[in-house]
């Protein structure tokens, strides 16, 4: 019998596998070359009357482009992609040939956006993409590949604004406390390609976008700043934000020029009938695959949410309470006062975290319906945040796992938590891109015994946590046996958590 840990690892791998570029593209895209050639995207047909072109930008786009070129074959006339600096070399060194373009590829690769910030290199790629889009005719088809990180790789300020002026303005806004949504509105407004700009430049060609989401809730206008999606914001919104942060009177001259040219015509939404945006990969898709696999392994499986967000310490508390509730259920003690207390705690925590779209009462109802005879698997995904206080090395997934381990250790001293000893429990959290923070681990595993076993090795968990040093802890604990190491995956749909419990 496989251990819970091996099960958790195989569920994580299958979830990531389903959103790897090649399988993801092959599921979504087919090409029919005979007679009138056409591109089939999730069953919708797009005839290729003249030429087929490809552009792309984002952290997972290199692998997506390699897969797309294989599917399209000779029908692809030309492509341009803008990917993070150094990615070809990293994939080459990791031995991931399938993510790289073939030697005689028709796709030109630009690398830029060092440290995920727009730079002159990224601008070169963006300008090349812009020029390709502007030259298209009504008989052409433009396939656009988009993944997270695409925003920094597509900087093209509206002339005469310079890249450094736009950067300085967004930095000033950020320093005055502007929210990320507000920054995005200003960025989009001053950009040629964001907020639907790319789709408008490509008009009248048919535009088909394949999108891999790394944003909670998969809002298409937010992922990579929505270059092929109608923007829900206007020049007015941009002016309001600049006014709010007292920036209207000391703007660079170029920005004033652009904002004063602001469309005099009413900002009626432009026509997007030539555009089709398709979400081909997301956290939800990855969780569905993991659920399918878990059920095959005999687990009663529930998905909590694909939108888990908030401070990692609060999220860890939520998972600790959830694990205790499942243990109560598996030991048939869920209905008593202990179960009530844990349910109350859970509802209070969920209310604090404000996880979008989570109906916890409904989830707990479903959990109650699970009989005590089968092991339980709870899956979730999203992206937590860590308040940095220390100078250690870690990532949000490893810190979450360490905090859950500590929470379960503390719970074992309480009446409800004492049942943790009667169940086998494994908690896993990992980043689907295979990199958790600045470490080579994707995440980690823990069980309720983690802290106790660590103490026997002379490792105090609280000290590592207060220094945000989870990676160092897991590296030293049992020879790194609890680290989740997958290597680069070439994809990214945020993080995945799995709780596996059997009586």
């Amino acid at each position: 019998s496989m251990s819970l840990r091996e099960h958790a690892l195989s569920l994580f791998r299958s979830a990531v596998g389903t959103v790897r570029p090649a399988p993801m593209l092959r599921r979504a895209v087919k090409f029919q070359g005979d007679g009138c050639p056409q591109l089939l995207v999730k069953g919708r047909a797009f005839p290729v009357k003249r030429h087929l072109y490809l552009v792309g930008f984002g952290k997972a786009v290199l692998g997506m482009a390699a897969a797309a070129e294989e599917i399209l074959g000779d029908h692809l006339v030309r492509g341009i992609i803008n990917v993070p600096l150094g990615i070809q070399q990293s994939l080459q060194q990791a031995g991931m040939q399938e993510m790289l373009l073939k030697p005689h590829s028709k796709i030109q690769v630009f690398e830029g956006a060092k440290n995920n910030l727009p730079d002159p290199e990224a601008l070169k790629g963006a300008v090349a993409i812009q020029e390709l889009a502007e030259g298209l005719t009504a008989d052409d088809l433009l396939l656009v590949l988009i993944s997270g990180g695409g925003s920094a790789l597509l900087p093209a300020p509206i002339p005469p604004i310079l890249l450094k002026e736009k950067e300085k303005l967004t930095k000033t806004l950020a320093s005055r406390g502007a929210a990320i949504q507000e920054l995005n509105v200003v960025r989009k407004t001053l950009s040629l390609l964001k907020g639907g700009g790319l789709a408008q430049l490509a008009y009248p060609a048919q535009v088909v976008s394949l999108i891999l989401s790394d944003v909670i809730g998969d809002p298409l206008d937010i992922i990579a700043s929505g270059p092929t999606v109608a923007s829900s914001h206007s020049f007015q919104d941009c002016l309001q934000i600049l006014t709010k942060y007292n920036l209207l009177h000391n703007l660079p001259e170029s920005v004033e020029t652009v904002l004063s040219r602001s469309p005099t015509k009413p900002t009626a939404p432009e026509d997007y009938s030539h555009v089709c945006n398709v979400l081909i990969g997301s956290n939800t898709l990855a969780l569905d695959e993991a659920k399918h696999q878990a059920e095959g392994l005999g687990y009663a499986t529930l998905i909590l949410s694909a939108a888990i967000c908030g401070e990692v310490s609060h999220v860890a508390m939520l998972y600790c309470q959830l694990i205790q509730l499942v243990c109560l259920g598996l030991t048939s003690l869920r209905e008593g006062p202990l179960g009530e207390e844990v349910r109350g705690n859970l509802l209070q925590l969920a209310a604090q975290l404000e996880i979008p779209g989570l109906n916890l009462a409904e989830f707990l109802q479903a959990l109650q319906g699970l009989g005590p005879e089968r092991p339980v698997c709870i899956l979730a995904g999203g992206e937590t945040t860590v308040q940095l206080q220390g100078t250690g090395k870690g990532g949000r997934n490893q810190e979450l796992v360490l905090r859950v381990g500590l929470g379960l250790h503390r719970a074992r001293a309480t009446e409800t938590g004492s049942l943790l000893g009667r169940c086998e429990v494994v908690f896993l959290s990992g980043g689907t891109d295979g990199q958790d923070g600045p470490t080579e681990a994707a995440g980690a595993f823990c069980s309720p015994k983690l802290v106790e076993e660590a103490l026997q090795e002379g490792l105090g968990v609280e000290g590592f946590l207060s220094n945000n040093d989870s990676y160092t802890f897991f590296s030293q604990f049992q020879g790194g046996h609890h680290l989740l190491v997958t290597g680069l995956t070439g994809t990214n749909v945020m993080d995945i958590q799995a709780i596996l419990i059997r009586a």
Side-chain angles (χ1 to χ4, degrees):
S1 86
M2 281 167 82
S3 68
L4 287 192
R5 197 196 129 106
E6 287 167 323
H7 281 170
L9 180 60
S10 94
L11 296 180
F12 181 76
R13 287 191 188 278
S14 64
V16 172
T18 201
V19 290
R20 276 183 184 260
M24 188 173 63
L25 263 104
R26 283 198 286 268
R27 265 200 318 272
V29 182
K30 309 267 180 289
F31 195 84
Q32 279 182 349
D34 39 278
C36 168
Q38 48 182 3
L39 187 68
L40 301 172
V41 179
K42 289 203 171 172
R44 279 189 61 176
F46 299 96
V48 180
K49 299 173 196 148
R50 194 175 88 111
H51 290 147
L52 174 57
Y53 295 96
L54 176 151
V55 297
F57 29 88
K59 294 180 181 176
V61 158
L62 190 61
M64 289 167 79
E69 190 163 29
E70 224 154 83
I71 295 165
L72 304 173
D74 291 338
H75 295 277
L76 179 65
V77 175
R78 178 171 171 238
I80 298 173
I81 57 172
N82 216 358
V83 295
L85 190 68
I87 191 164
Q88 293 178 97
Q89 198 186 352
S90 305
L91 292 170
Q92 186 89 51
Q93 285 167 345
M96 296 175 69
Q97 292 323 109
E98 75 278 10
M99 298 274 179
L100 296 166
L101 295 168
K102 301 280 184 288
H104 301 292
S105 168
K106 290 180 188 164
I107 300 173
Q108 185 184 3
V109 182
F110 286 86
E111 289 193 358
K114 190 179 177 188
N115 302 327
N116 206 18
L117 294 168
D119 57 17
E121 268 46 59
L123 183 59
K124 276 183 207 157
V127 169
I129 287 171
Q130 176 194 336
E131 287 169 354
L132 187 148
E134 285 171 338
L136 301 177
T137 72
D139 290 336
D140 292 319
L141 192 152
L142 179 65
L143 186 62
V144 185
L145 308 176
I146 300 176
S147 78
S151 189
L153 287 159
L154 205 64
I158 299 172
I161 302 173
L162 300 173
L163 184 61
K164 54 174 189 262
E165 293 176 318
K166 189 175 140 189
E167 279 311 283
K168 191 173 168 208
L169 180 59
T170 35
K171 275 199 183 120
T172 310
L173 270 169
S175 72
R176 294 194 180 182
I180 180 73
Q181 290 82 354
E182 295 176 311
L183 292 174
N184 281 339
V185 171
V186 174
R187 260 191 211 127
K188 278 189 200 179
T189 311
L190 303 178
S191 169
L192 275 174
L193 301 174
K194 296 180 167 71
L198 178 62
Q200 290 307 319
L201 287 179
Y203 182 85
Q206 171 71 58
V207 176
V208 180
S209 283
L210 307 179
I211 302 169
L212 175 64
S213 170
D214 70 334
V215 182
I216 283 181
D218 309 327
L220 298 187
D221 61 325
I222 303 291
I223 302 162
S225 302
T228 57
V229 184
S231 175
S232 42
H233 308 293
S234 64
F235 268 77
Q236 282 348 93
D237 299 320
C238 179
L239 290 168
Q240 269 176 337
I241 293 165
L242 293 170
T243 308
K244 175 178 167 184
Y245 294 100
N246 286 330
L247 283 170
L248 211 46
H249 302 298
N250 43 12
L251 290 173
E253 199 177 321
S254 59
V255 174
E256 279 188 7
T257 308
V258 168
L259 289 174
S260 64
R261 284 205 301 247
S262 78
T264 38
K265 61 176 194 315
T267 50
E270 289 135 311
D271 181 16
Y272 280 81
S273 59
H274 66 299
V275 183
C276 175
N277 289 304
V278 186
L279 186 70
I280 63 166
S282 65
N283 191 277
T284 303
L285 206 78
L287 291 176
D288 287 343
E289 176 61 25
K291 179 176 196 271
H292 176 71
Q293 297 287 335
E295 285 168 343
L297 291 168
Y299 288 86
T301 309
L302 292 174
I303 293 177
L304 174 64
S305 162
I308 299 290
C309 53
E311 231 300 289
V312 54
S313 54
H314 298 150
V315 174
M317 279 157 64
L318 181 80
Y319 283 137
C320 287
Q321 296 290 330
L322 202 49
I323 289 166
Q324 290 174 67
L325 191 61
V326 175
C327 287
L328 286 170
L330 287 176
T331 47
S332 306
L333 288 165
R334 189 185 310 151
E335 303 319 314
L338 293 180
E340 282 308 305
E341 186 191 333
V342 178
R343 267 197 293 275
N345 291 344
L346 273 166
L347 291 164
Q348 200 179 341
L349 280 166
Q352 277 173 351
L353 280 165
E354 295 180 356
I355 291 160
L358 172 63
N359 183 338
L360 190 65
E362 200 177 291
F363 177 84
L364 295 177
Q365 197 69 44
L367 194 58
Q368 248 169 317
L370 303 179
E373 56 289 336
R374 281 165 72 199
V376 173
C377 169
I378 294 173
L379 297 163
E383 198 159 274
T384 56
T385 44
V386 175
Q387 299 266 311
L388 285 178
Q389 282 152 340
T391 54
K393 190 173 179 185
R396 55 179 185 257
N397 289 288
Q398 294 163 80
E399 177 147 337
L400 175 61
V401 172
L402 198 49
R403 286 186 181 279
V404 168
L406 182 60
L408 294 175
H409 172 73
R410 288 176 176 162
R412 286 173 75 184
T414 65
E415 199 183 350
T416 20
S418 60
L419 295 165
L420 288 166
R422 294 198 211 167
C423 292
E424 236 189 304
V425 179
V426 160
F427 175 76
L428 167 151
S429 184
T432 53
D433 59 356
Q435 280 180 303
D436 186 33
T439 75
E440 76 269 22
F445 306 83
C446 76
S447 75
K449 297 195 182 92
L450 176 88
V451 174
E452 208 175 293
E453 292 172 357
L455 284 171
Q456 288 164 7
E457 293 187 29
L459 298 170
V461 168
E462 279 109 327
F464 285 99
L465 277 172
S466 60
N467 194 27
N468 298 114
D469 204 10
S470 53
Y471 175 74
T472 307
F473 169 83
F474 282 115
S475 304
Q476 293 177 4
F477 175 60
Q478 294 183 355
H481 183 61
H482 284 65
L483 282 172
L484 169 65
V485 181
T486 60
L488 284 178
T489 62
T491 188
N492 181 17
V493 293
M494 302 181 290
D495 304 332
I496 284 176
Q497 283 97 41
I499 298 171
L500 302 186
I501 303 181
R502 62 181 171 204

